[in-house]
Amino acid sequence: MSAPPAWEDPRRVLSRHGYAPSKRYSQNFLVTEGVVEGIADAVAPRPGERVVELGPGAGTLTCALLRRGASVLAIEKDPRMLALLRDELRNVDGFELREGDAAELDLAALTTTPIAVTGNLPYAITGSIFRRLVDQRTLVARSIVMVQREVRDRLLAGAGDEHYGALTVFVSAAFRVEPVMTVKPGAFFPPPKVTSAVVRLVPHATPRAEETDAFRRVVRAAFDQRRKTLRNALSSLATPDVLAAAFVKAEVDPSVRGETLDVEAFARLAVAIEG
């Protein structure tokens, strides 16, 4: 086995293999060393710690993590990148590669104990990956991921903020969200049309809300019709009498909009409606 290679511009790695970024796989490769190293620093792996990397691409972040002593399990969907990674890193100690779709992440098939998760998320499947992380939060030690800046703003929003929405509620019920860095389009090849951001998700010791079916229904109904009052937005979930009693029990004003409720208020309301 060999040590992980030093930093190399992924454009050179791609060129060596005759590959170009794929629109099909929404590929934008990080080509700025400082950003890659900053993400690896944010992951902060302990020596020998296993890290799941979603969509490793040309292996740029992979190598940065390996150089910090992590054991990296990389999950890649693109057959070309699978071939590239096997060729470039097949003899590197601590590297493991599996073919798979990040949007279908199944941590239970990979680990029985909480594990670090990282990656530059393809923007088209960001929502699917966050749903997976929330659903499997007991197996997430921490997650450091790249998203669109707009998604970062939604994750960090508080009740009443313009960016506050269902994604905010679902993710913040399970995780504490921390900003790490903002990344400009020029840090990528090819440059995306949007500014990106890195966030850290750390699971709450006790979730702010249990994501039951009732909780999901209430949150989605509130934000699907976010300009309506809660009384009207939730009218399809129960009879007027049941809703009226639930608002009283949950201590929630039915005349306000859902965007004004915090996670705990949504949880109380879901329990009250479910009865």
Side-chain angles (χ1 to χ4, degrees):
M1 302 301 284
S2 61
W7 161 264
E8 184 178 12
D9 190 314
R11 288 170 289 197
R12 293 183 57 186
V13 179
L14 292 169
S15 177
R16 186 158 60 241
H17 291 265
Y19 295 148
S22 167
K23 291 184 178 180
R24 176 185 176 186
Y25 293 106
S26 303
Q27 289 173 340
N28 301 91
F29 296 89
L30 273 171
V31 295
T32 302
E33 183 177 6
V35 174
V36 174
E37 297 297 333
I39 296 172
D41 285 343
V43 176
R46 300 183 302 276
E49 182 180 12
R50 202 173 187 216
V51 177
V52 172
E53 184 185 3
L54 307 176
T60 311
L61 176 59
T62 313
C63 291
L65 293 168
L66 290 167
R67 289 193 295 270
R68 285 161 173 76
S71 175
V72 179
L73 170 54
I75 300 176
E76 177 59 58
K77 184 177 181 180
D78 183 353
R80 304 173 314 147
M81 294 302 107
L82 287 164
L84 179 153
L85 290 163
R86 290 189 185 105
D87 184 66
E88 294 284 335
L89 301 178
R90 62 180 179 273
N91 294 320
V92 174
D93 189 33
F95 176 68
E96 181 181 355
L97 179 63
R98 295 192 188 183
E99 181 176 2
D101 188 341
E104 299 175 0
L105 177 65
D106 182 4
L107 290 177
L110 306 176
T111 183
T112 57
T113 57
I115 194 169
V117 179
T118 191
N120 177 11
L121 304 187
Y123 296 152
I125 60 172
T126 296
S128 297
I129 293 174
F130 277 122
R131 283 193 292 274
R132 289 282 180 173
L133 292 174
V134 169
D135 289 344
Q136 303 172 79
R137 63 184 181 275
T138 59
L139 292 176
V140 179
R142 61 195 180 283
S143 181
I144 293 81
V145 291
M146 177 90 73
V147 297
Q148 290 186 44
R149 181 173 58 182
E150 176 188 348
V151 174
R152 186 274 314 272
D153 292 344
R154 291 166 62 192
L155 292 171
L156 293 173
D161 293 347
E162 63 174 321
H163 298 292
Y164 189 69
L167 177 68
T168 320
V169 174
F170 290 136
V171 174
S172 61
F175 297 100
R176 182 176 77 252
V177 184
E178 304 168 347
V180 175
M181 69 174 80
T182 300
V183 185
K184 296 181 178 180
F188 296 89
F189 169 71
K193 295 180 180 179
V194 298
T195 297
S196 303
V198 179
V199 294
R200 180 190 293 107
L201 310 182
V202 181
H204 296 299
T206 301
R208 295 175 63 188
E210 290 296 332
E211 193 170 325
T212 62
D213 288 341
F215 180 72
R216 284 190 287 268
R217 286 195 298 270
V218 168
V219 174
R220 286 171 181 156
F223 288 104
D224 282 347
Q225 304 181 76
R226 62 184 301 147
R227 309 315 298 175
K228 291 186 176 182
T229 65
L230 282 169
R231 180 188 291 109
N232 293 327
L234 306 186
S235 61
S236 64
L237 301 185
T239 66
D241 289 346
V242 170
L243 279 179
F247 285 125
V248 172
K249 184 176 181 181
E251 299 181 331
V252 171
D253 182 351
S255 68
V256 303
R257 294 171 176 171
E259 62 196 36
T260 65
L261 267 60
D262 62 16
V263 172
E264 289 77 10
F266 275 116
R268 294 195 308 271
L269 193 52
V271 170
I273 292 175
E274 192 174 34

